[in-house]
Amino acid sequence: MSRRAALAPVDLLRLGVFGLRTRPGRVVLSALGIAIGIAAMIAVVGISSSSKAALDQVLDRLGTNVLTVTEAQGFGETPPLPSAAVDSIARQDAVELVSGVGTVPDARVYRNSLVPAAQSKGLGVMAAWGDLPRVLGGEVASGRWLDPHADAPAQVVLGSFAAEALGIQEVRPDSRVWIGGQWVQVVGVLAPMELAPDLDGQVYVPRGFAADAGFDGHPTAVYTRVDGERVAEVRSRLARAISPLSPQDVAVTRPSDALAAKNATDDSFTGLLIGIGGVALLVGGIGVANTMVITVLERRAEVGVRRALGARRRTIRDQFLVESLLLSFIGGLAGVVIGLGVTVVFALVQGWPIAVPLWAVGGGLGATVVIGGVSGIYPAARAARIPPTSALAAV
């Protein structure tokens, strides 16, 4: 009695491809379920990674060595920062740059003298110490920054939102605003401050002019750029340097931490979306299993003929398992291409670098192989158990 020869792997692959080619419509619909799940997962991971890469670029450009000093927030009334807070910080070791701002509560800024007093558009006026844009990694979009001297002549620099609200996007010789009952020359317009977006809606004036408008001399916030290797050390001693008797009334934070926290919050949504993609992938796997079961029922006659001609059960099982793996792999490959395409388009529209982890692509294709194998085990085993006589009776 001769042994039944097993099919070579290449022959099994050809047989699996032939089985799929005979039913192209059903293959496309089944593979689509897998493709949607993989595309969703690749796109979510890719967009999230691109967003993180963009944040890393921002932090590299702005620096993570900026500290913000404000009065502590808590129950009860907290005393304001001392008027000498900026000078106290400037004297500290490892401090490279320092700047500060102080709110001028009674000052209002208007486009001209005819605007009603109530229509201030929520813009605040702040006294400024030092070179604020330089400390915060910002830019002067038009014109220049304020004269750094406290007794500098009346002049104004507008934050980006304030400039938009006042209709002054570019500094010109006739650019001026109405503050405290007088016209004041606009000398600069700032670009958006990514490390301190709350400053975009402010108008900045020299301290001497602010004092004439009722400024009490106490800074609202002090920004300092320190040695990058000693951020933690400087942060731990700034509060006591400013207020030795009550350091608990002083808060020292790092603006870059807020950006990182926002990115961490985005990660939770990323996990949720990946979970949704996983559900879609599971549904696609069920679709593949259903397709293979129907395929087995439709091809009972083929199985009977092959078994009657000497094909082993193992060969029949392997044939249908290969078809299931190929079907899932085609869907997974299409999903990877679609996911990469979505990521590239979205990143380009947002102006982000394109970053798709290799593990996401490899994991996506690996998941399709696993799903194909799991989905094809039962239909393949069912096909292998069909007796030749009953299969041929269906012809």
Side-chain angles (χ1 to χ4, degrees), residues 50-387:
S50 299
S51 175
K52 290 179 181 178
L55 176 62
D56 290 339
Q57 286 186 346
V58 171
L59 293 179
D60 289 342
R61 174 169 53 84
L62 298 177
T64 57
N65 61 332
V66 175
L67 298 176
T68 301
V69 179
T70 59
E71 58 183 72
Q73 301 296 319
F75 298 103
E77 185 175 351
T78 305
L81 295 177
S83 57
V86 176
D87 294 332
S88 298
I89 292 176
R91 290 192 295 266
Q92 298 301 306
D93 186 32
V95 170
E96 299 173 349
L97 298 169
V98 62
S99 179
V101 293
T103 301
V104 186
D106 297 327
R108 295 291 182 270
V109 57
Y110 303 95
R111 186 65 181 87
N112 56 57
S113 59
L114 302 179
V115 178
Q119 298 182 13
S120 63
K121 298 185 178 181
L123 305 180
V125 178
M126 284 191 154
W129 285 258
D131 192 339
L132 184 67
R134 185 182 177 192
V135 175
L136 290 178
E139 297 179 353
V140 179
S142 178
R144 61 174 176 82
W145 179 242
L146 295 171
D147 188 321
H149 300 94
D151 56 352
Q155 54 191 284
V156 166
V157 170
L158 307 177
S160 60
F161 177 78
E164 182 180 352
L166 293 170
I168 303 176
Q169 301 295 328
E170 184 178 355
V171 175
R172 298 178 181 177
D174 60 346
S175 297
R176 56 182 186 170
V177 291
W178 184 261
I179 301 180
Q182 61 177 303
W183 289 104
V184 182
Q185 181 69 33
V186 177
V187 299
V189 174
L190 298 179
M193 294 282 196
E194 294 182 87
L195 280 181
D198 55 307
L199 297 180
D200 291 337
Q202 306 297 321
V203 175
Y204 305 95
V205 298
R207 280 170 286 151
F209 178 77
D212 294 338
F215 177 51
D216 60 5
H218 293 280
T220 306
V222 181
Y223 304 95
T224 177
R225 191 173 287 271
V226 304
D227 184 345
E229 301 296 327
R230 303 174 64 182
V231 174
E233 173 196 340
V234 176
R235 183 176 182 177
S236 66
R237 56 183 166 85
L238 277 187
R240 189 167 296 279
I242 294 172
S243 182
L245 299 179
S246 53
Q248 70 277 3
D249 293 335
V250 179
V252 183
T253 59
R254 186 159 61 170
S256 58
D257 290 345
L259 294 177
K262 178 181 180 299
N263 191 71
T265 302
D266 293 341
D267 285 345
S268 62
F269 290 100
T270 298
L272 174 63
L273 293 176
I274 289 178
I276 294 174
V279 172
L281 198 58
L282 177 62
V283 173
I286 295 174
V288 170
N290 183 60
T291 297
M292 294 308 301
V293 168
I294 295 176
T295 298
V296 170
L297 295 176
E298 290 180 344
R299 295 164 64 183
R300 287 171 61 90
E302 174 192 334
V303 172
V305 171
R306 293 193 58 208
R307 289 294 309 280
L309 293 176
R312 297 186 299 177
R313 287 187 176 184
R314 177 181 175 181
T315 302
I316 300 298
R317 182 196 64 200
D318 291 347
Q319 173 190 344
F320 283 92
L321 188 59
V322 167
E323 287 188 22
S324 178
L325 289 171
L326 284 174
L327 181 57
S328 295
F329 184 76
I330 292 172
L333 193 61
V336 168
V337 173
I338 295 172
L340 290 175
V342 171
T343 300
V344 170
V345 171
F346 192 87
L348 291 177
V349 170
Q350 296 293 328
W352 295 344
I354 300 170
V356 180
L358 291 178
W359 64 262
V361 176
L365 291 176
T368 61
V369 173
V370 172
I371 288 175
V374 173
S375 302
I377 287 176
Y378 171 72
R382 180 171 180 172
R385 290 197 301 267
I386 297 176

